[in-house]
Amino acid sequence: SPAAPGLLGYSTNGLVGRNAFEFVHPDDLERVKGLMGQMLQDSHARVSGIFRFQHKNGSWRWIEGTGTNLLGEPSVRAIVLNYRDITDRRQAEEQIQRRAEELLAVNALGRALAESLELSEIYARLYQAILGLLPDSSTVFVSLFDRARELLVCAYGVQDGEQLNVDELPPIPLEPPGVGSQSEAIHTRRPFIVNDLQARLRRVKVNVTVGHSGPFPQSGLYVPMLAKGEVIGVVMVQCPTLSRYSQSDADLLSVVANTAAVAIENARLFDDAERRLRQTQALNNIDRAISGSTDLRFTLKTVLDEVTSQLQVDAGDILLLNPHTHTLEYGAGRGFHTQALQHTRLRLGESYAGRAALERRFVSVPDLRQRTTDLLRSPYFASEAFIAYYGVPLSAKGQVVGVLEIFHRAPLSPDREWLDFLEALAGQAALAIDNATLFEGLERSNVELALAYDATIEGWSRALDLRDKETEGHTQRVTNLTVRLARALGLSQAELVHIRRGALLHDIGKMGVPDGILLKAGALTDQEWAVMRRHPVYAYEMLSPITYLRPALDIPYCHHEKWDGTGYPRGLKGDQIPLAALIFAVVDVWDALRSDRPYRAAWPEEKVREHIRQQSGTHFDPKVVDKFLQMELR
């Protein structure tokens, strides 16, 4: 039949006498031999099959063959084989099958990506999907497009079967149209195919041999990743074969890239939300530290913990401005391996931190290794191996209070959000320093004021002693002993402060008693005694308007009250009398009887002890007397 040789491109004479098996595809040969053997075993057999024959031009043609055994006929010694070329149909079926498999792969990728918000997992699944569809790709890169800075930042990369550390890969600036392959995909928003990669790279003067352990790629396919109508990045695939990628490959990879783009964008939005939540929590942590502690070192440590954690930098410190010497001094640090900066003392304008404080602006150094800096004079600092540096002035109420410094042992490429959060953290640090400074100043003022109050009270008490020569030194003695007795009875330190003040001022009311009565040498008349006994009331009237002395009024107002209610000025009885006054009453009588007077000599100690013991339960509180008599009074 002239049709048979026509299928294979031969003439009839070119086929006659040749072994038919030599034209069969190696993968189909055993199956064809099996069908022939099956037909030869049965003289009436009729078999059929589909296999590949090689055309004279070297291509493979799909053939549908049918064989009939006529050897059983008496007059026939032949096998009849009929062939039909079904190459076009077979290729169409294969294309349909391949498209179905591709669609299934894309759907599977979409389902898988929808289940994850982890970028690392999304990139890994995208890579596996690409390998499934384009298995001969030796290089796969996923780069994200930073529109604000016009940079392509590599997010994931596999080269010659090895996953790369993308943190070590610098961002690539967006190149003008017609130059960079990835940039071209972004500019046109369409896939970009390179059939001869080496020729293109040579044309744009790029070294074509760097970074590959295997054969250098010959073909490249660059597909933009679209999400919500915006280009968010580029998927790049390369292989060692020339003219490997077709438009159908580009269309397929576009579907895959866009499917991944949606997942990546969702994951990035989720990461952004989580990062903002972490940043808010960080600021709240610092707020709590500021409001809950007056310890500046603790607050600065909290600030630095959040700085290094949220900004993902290796180390940081805070230098405090000494307003008296105008120098920056080390306040706190975190993440350092040595004590390189703990003895920092910089004048304004000196080194990076001094410039930041003097000029009130950010100071950034992308690579410290390329600069001459005073920091490098320290051998300790050199061993820290820092590369990137940022210095941020800390300002509160228009005044610089310090500098926040951050260091990183790798290059930093911060975006606007990173810088804004750094500024927010610097603001919190400045607030913490200002708050602590204000508290320290207030505390110092309170101490100074308290000292001034006490000095004033002591001055008043000395003035009283000078007025009444008979009681000179009495006030200081009873004050000291009253405080000792109160402490022995378990009163708190805060209560002792008021007891001391009250003891110093116990006779302040005598300032209202005329000298003729107070300094009278002889006995007082009943009328004069009535005036004298008014001095506790005078004390109350003099001191009660003074707020800080009100807690000290118990002794000046009530120290002449008696346990049995026979005292003055109000005749209080028992527990109605403030404890401070009960304590002072015992000490006051003790010192009065132990001191010489013009009208009598001082009593011996044992006589005074006996007198106080006898007055327990009438003049004095028994519990106070018991504790007093147990004390060492010498």
Side-chain angles (χ1 to χ4, degrees), residues 321 328 347-364 391-395 400 402-403:
L321 179 63
L328 292 168
R347 294 187 301 274
L348 292 179
E350 183 181 8
S351 191
Y352 298 130
R355 284 170 47 200
L358 181 64
E359 299 171 13
R360 301 192 179 196
R361 64 177 181 86
F362 277 36
V363 173
S364 64
V392 187
L394 305 179
S395 300
V400 174
V403 173

Side-chain angles (χ1 to χ4, degrees), residues 608-624:
V608 179
R609 284 178 175 272
E610 183 59 30
H611 173 76
I612 289 175
R613 188 178 292 110
Q614 289 175 357
Q615 294 295 313
S616 177
T618 55
H619 189 166
F620 307 122
D621 179 351
K623 292 180 181 179
V624 174

Side-chain angles (χ1 to χ4, degrees), residues 449-450 452-457 460 497-498 501 505 543-553:
L449 185 60
Y453 286 163
D454 287 345
T456 301
I457 293 170
W460 289 350
V497 170
H498 299 303
R501 291 172 178 170
L505 297 173
L543 299 180
S544 59
I546 304 174
T547 303
Y548 88 97
L549 288 179
R550 285 175 190 166
L553 272 174

Side-chain angles (χ1 to χ4, degrees), residues 280-566:
T280 301
Q281 290 172 339
L283 295 176
N284 286 338
N285 290 340
I286 296 173
D287 280 340
R288 286 196 295 271
I290 293 173
S291 60
S293 174
T294 58
D295 183 350
L296 179 59
R297 305 296 174 183
F298 170 77
T299 305
L300 295 184
K301 178 183 179 300
T302 302
V303 171
L304 290 173
D305 286 345
E306 299 298 347
V307 166
T308 54
S309 172
Q310 300 302 323
L311 297 179
Q312 297 183 346
V313 293
D314 291 321
D317 67 38
I318 292 177
L319 306 179
L320 303 176
L321 179 63
N322 186 324
H324 306 293
T325 62
H326 301 290
T327 56
L328 292 168
E329 300 171 0
Y330 179 86
R334 188 184 189 282
F336 296 96
H337 296 159
T338 68
Q339 298 181 353
L341 300 180
Q342 291 190 15
H343 305 290
T344 298
R345 187 181 295 273
L346 298 172
R347 294 187 301 274
L348 292 179
E350 183 181 8
S351 191
Y352 298 130
R355 284 170 47 200
L358 181 64
E359 299 171 13
R360 301 192 179 196
R361 64 177 181 86
F362 277 36
V363 173
S364 64
V365 183
D367 193 342
L368 289 168
R369 298 168 299 181
Q370 306 300 321
R371 299 290 186 91
T372 300
T373 168
D374 292 341
L375 294 172
L376 298 179
R377 294 177 185 174
S378 166
Y380 294 115
F381 185 82
S383 68
E384 293 280 1
F386 291 129
I387 294 178
Y389 169 89
Y390 271 81
V392 187
L394 305 179
S395 300
K397 300 174 184 174
Q399 299 296 320
V400 174
V401 296
V403 173
L404 168 63
E405 296 185 297
I406 60 174
F407 301 85
H408 198 51
R409 295 183 176 92
L412 279 176
S413 298
D415 55 18
R416 185 69 257 171
E417 184 178 351
W418 189 94
L419 292 171
D420 288 344
F421 189 59
L422 171 60
E423 188 173 2
L425 291 171
Q428 292 292 91
L431 178 62
I433 295 169
D434 184 58
N435 185 68
T437 302
L438 288 175
F439 181 83
E440 183 181 341
L442 180 61
E443 194 174 48
R444 184 169 57 251
S445 297
N446 285 339
V447 170
E448 292 172 352
L449 185 60
L451 292 174
Y453 286 163
D454 287 345
T456 301
I457 293 170
E458 289 176 4
W460 289 350
S461 68
R462 283 195 297 272
L464 290 172
D465 281 354
L466 291 174
R467 187 175 182 225
D468 186 357
K469 295 291 185 180
E470 293 182 4
T471 61
E472 188 173 357
H474 164 73
T475 300
Q476 196 61 50
R477 291 194 303 272
V478 295
T479 297
N480 294 337
L481 188 54
T482 299
V483 171
R484 285 180 56 200
L485 178 55
R487 185 180 290 112
L489 287 165
L491 274 70
S492 68
Q493 188 62 38
E495 292 171 311
L496 293 179
V497 170
H498 299 303
I499 285 176
R500 180 177 181 277
R501 291 172 178 170
L504 286 170
L505 297 173
H506 73 281
D507 275 342
I508 190 70
K510 289 182 179 180
M511 294 181 68
V513 178
D515 288 350
I517 297 174
L518 182 66
L519 303 178
K520 185 177 180 180
L524 298 179
T525 65
D526 290 344
Q527 186 178 3
E528 290 171 335
W529 267 116
V531 174
M532 177 65 77
R533 288 174 177 170
R534 288 282 299 169
H535 80 269
V537 177
Y538 298 153
Y540 177 82
E541 292 173 348
M542 292 169 63
L543 299 180
S544 59
I546 304 174
T547 303
Y548 88 97
L549 288 179
R550 285 175 190 166
L553 272 174
D554 288 345
I555 291 177
Y557 192 26
C558 303
H559 71 285
H560 284 298
E561 302 287 357
K562 294 184 178 180
W563 186 255
D564 61 4
T566 60

Side-chain angles (χ1 to χ4, degrees), residues 86-158:
I86 61 168
T87 301
D88 292 342
R89 188 190 80 186
R90 185 73 179 193
Q91 289 178 344
E93 290 174 350
E94 288 180 347
Q95 185 174 9
I96 292 172
Q97 178 65 24
R98 185 166 62 253
R99 289 304 178 194
E101 291 174 354
E102 290 170 351
L103 288 175
L104 288 174
V106 171
N107 288 336
L109 174 64
R111 289 194 302 271
L113 295 181
E115 296 171 358
S116 177
L117 287 171
E118 291 290 335
L119 282 170
S120 58
E121 187 174 350
I122 291 172
Y123 295 138
R125 289 182 175 181
L126 172 59
Y127 172 67
Q128 292 301 324
I130 292 173
L131 281 190
L133 298 171
L134 304 170
D136 54 347
S137 297
S138 60
T139 301
V140 176
F141 275 88
V142 179
S143 298
L144 300 181
F145 181 42
D146 185 337
R147 186 174 301 278
R149 297 182 295 167
E150 293 197 331
L151 293 175
L152 276 166
V153 181
C154 186
Y156 184 85
V158 176

Side-chain angles (χ1 to χ4, degrees), residues 269-282:
L269 290 173
F270 181 76
D271 281 351
D272 287 345
E274 279 201 326
R275 182 171 61 256
R276 289 191 177 92
L277 177 60
R278 289 193 301 268
Q279 291 176 352
T280 301
Q281 290 172 339

